[in-house]
Amino acid sequence: MSQAKTEFLERSKTFWNPGKTQDWIDMGVDLVIDRREGYHLYDMDGRRLIDLHLNGGTYNLGHRHPELVEVLKAGTERFDMGNHHFPALARTALAEALQAVAPGPNFKYTAYGSGGGEAIDIALKTARHAAQKKKIVSIVKAYHGHTGLAVKTGDDRFSKLFLSEDAQGEFVQVPFNDLNAMEDALRGRDVAAVIMETIPATYGFPMPEVGYLPAVKKLCEKYDAFYIADEVQTGLMRTGEMWGCTKYGVEPDIMVTGKGISGGMYPIACVLISERCGGWLSEDGFGHISTMGGAELGCIVAMKTLEIIQRPEVRTMVQYIGDYLRAGLDDIMVQFPDFFIGIRQHGVIMGLEFNHEQGAKPVMKHLYENGVWAIFSTLDPRVLQFKPGLLLSQADAEDVLRRVAIAVELARDEVMGSRRRTY
Amino acid sequence: MDQALYNSLVDISDSPAARAGKADLMLDRARWAATVFDRYDRAATMAIVDAVAEAAHAMAGEMATKAVEETGFGVAEHKKLKNELTARPLVEHYRDQDFVNSRIDDARKIVEIPRPAGVIFALTPSTNPVATLNYKILLAMMTRNAIVISPHPAARAVSIEAATALARAAEAAGAPSGAIQILETPSIPLVEAFMTSPKTNVILATGGTPMVRAAYSSSNPAIGVGPGNAPVFVDATADIGAAAQAIVASKSFDNSILCTNESVLITVPEVENQLRMALKSAGAYLCTDEETAALRRFLFHPRGFNVEAIGRDATWIAQECNIRVPANTRILVTPITQIGVEERLSKEKLCPVLALHVAKTRTQALSQARAVLRLTGAGHSAAIHARDEAVIMDYAALVEAYRVVVNAPCSQGAAGFATNLAPTFTIGTGFFGRSSIGENVGPQHLVHWTRIAYNADRKVPFGNFQGVGRAFRGQLPTAPADGVPGTAPPRFAAPTPAPSAASSLDAATKDELRRLIAAELRDLLRK
Ligand SMILES: Cc1ncc(COP(=O)(O)O)c(C=O)c1O
């Protein structure tokens, strides 16, 4: 580590976040991201990493995608964040563009947050208003963000810390892929909404069983609850379709998109709201106020992001990247059957499963040392989140596989003990 | 997709970033396709080639008509013929050549493995839009390359329709998606973005000189070819009647839109009259000096050749110049006394107008033929009608052309359709014509070979490579979309995981475990 980096990390601990700074160092990841371009990150000491974390799809199109940089620059010639109280050119234009690609014909409005958590809060408030009920059902180990309501839908590790856990029994959690538990939670008809990550990301992408999500939607209909799809990580073409929920045959009542919609260039998150749920927007349009929500520069970038993502070439790219990486990962898995035990995949959403309670961490560390940045799943550290971008080049994909094979072997030897190499 | 929905407030579609983005996306997709294509064996490759050829053949007539409608160039019936020639016969010409498997040379102790170029960026002209497109796409498919076509804007619609149909046929026959793509909004700056992109492996440029020069200036490997301006020499030893028939047939073929068409007819006084008579009876109209002057004015504007005249009928051109010709006139012949910069009619004419020059002697005729190509068309084509092999040899060795067609129509002959030259729509103009290739461009130019070379010493034995082929794994298996009904199941049974040491631990000890592992990792890191 360079002197400069050592000094910087000290400053990071002093002024920013001592715990987080130290945790990464402890995990063997002394990363300080400096330059970034396409799917490449450069550590402040100059080391290159291929980014397979992408902050959950924020960098779907790569870091600083030239067209997004261009549109943002051009946008500043005319726009700033705008005045959130007034009808705004860019907010309306993006809402119109989103309606055109919404996962169903019933979507009508878009409300804006400045980040995913806020958008989730808006979605939950919207459902409560429309249902005139309070209860929210979510999935055990779900992750919807850390704002006031969103944090209550997730793992209590994050709410308890701040004495912010649900105390009124308004937030119920049921295990994923468990329809009985879901029905039990809904049976009382006192639930406003079920909120679902289409594939729970921070939980390591356990995949919905065939028929699970549509059945949840049916249960919602049966018991008068709304279905909120959190498409923050599964939307925007990552499954090979615009929205993951569409692939599973679900038309939600409310949908949240974040991360990637910003192109990684200007913060924004969006709540798509069906006509049925959008009553508050007429009743009291000032009901949710957010100065930076839907900042107009963010809208400008988001529209370009949507346009790029819908180009026909992107669909083929996603297919190639998913198929190619899967074929290569299958080959690697065969070599280390006692350690690398599974792949969860839908498009370029992938989770690599390791046969050790914390197995993804050493893999992450060795990948890091071998030039690839992919992060373990906070809520299931057996699983490495493996999230290639939509536009990953063939050369980078091939290079990723080469590096993964090396890192998995090193991690395996570290965790399970060296076995075959007998030098 | 309605662009207005996305661009209404801030439109960057005309920025360098947008052009580079467009190029990157198509070329990256092509690169993926090429990577997968490289896994295909010869049978899978030829199945695709044949499917594309059949599709091209089936729509030859329809595309010919549409090309004439859109561009106004040429004769639909002749275009149909060319569209057909660049389908099945093109494939047949190369059927026995193998660009997929390695080849063994026991004598030289060398094994050669074909390595496709990868991503071809190909320009197609307005003059022969569909034939050139067929030809380039089939060359790419034969060699397992991906190709991005950039059509001439004047033939955009028909090119898009044809390329889309061929891409569909290719994919239906198993080609990787994106192996054939077409740029739907070609513009000069966008074409430049493709040509200069490091993601382009080779540029196949056919078209105007500026485009070809731009291809060579792009910093990428390029196969670009120059314009033609074929001299045709009718020697005193020629069968004059047959020569006239061939020349008129060639000049009128698709109204001279092939760059291999005869441009200046040169002959000697001994046979001048006989040749004039023969031309007339073959359907040529011989112009007077005034008519020639009118044609000169009409065809050559100060800025260059009148594009209005390209590929038009002889009778239409005559009418535009107020020249009264018989209705069955196939070509117009304009006598000229000079060749060179002072006589514009000695330049290339992509229309059925043929200049006629009578040299004093055979020697002068040859020197005039050289002058024609010095003016323009160097390295391209020439033709001769003669019976004396020595004359043919003199002529061929003298003119700066890389193909000299003998006693046959040059339009078709130089392009490999009435001779045994390779059928092509890219005529290599070689070093004379500022090009990297001097022969008719074919699939062999889109593949390089990795050569396994053994020690030449006789005492060192050569390996036995019979039956040692590389693995062709074919199409990529489709990755599963877990949880979506009917998607691919796992391709092998994952071994049942041995219960992990930690899995039985209860939640209470998890924090402890976390600490342990963090400590473990810290340790490992220090090692
Ligand atoms: C599925 C999902 N929803 C919501 C969020 C919250 O988004 P943000 O961090 O922008 O508040 C995240 C962030 O990781 C997420 O993964």
Side-chain angles (χ1 to χ4, degrees), chain A residues 115-118 120 143-147 197 201-202 230 232-233 259:
Chain A
E118 186 189 351
I120 294 288
Y143 186 100
H144 299 288
H146 282 176
T147 45
E197 282 178 86
T202 312
D230 179 343
V232 168
Q233 290 222 25
K259 292 191 188 275

Side-chain angles (χ1 to χ4, degrees), chain B residues 285-287 291 315 318-327 329 332:
Chain B
Y285 176 82
L286 280 104
C287 299
E291 289 165 343
T315 50
Q319 199 173 2
E320 290 293 301
C321 298
N322 290 317
I323 303 170
R324 288 171 56 88
V325 298
T329 298
L332 306 173

Side-chain angles (χ1 to χ4, degrees), chain A residues 138-143 153-155 172-176 200 203 206 379:
Chain A
S138 60
I139 295 299
V140 176
K141 305 263 187 205
Y143 186 100
T153 64
D155 199 74
V172 179
Q173 298 188 1
V174 299
F176 191 54
Y203 193 13
L379 301 176

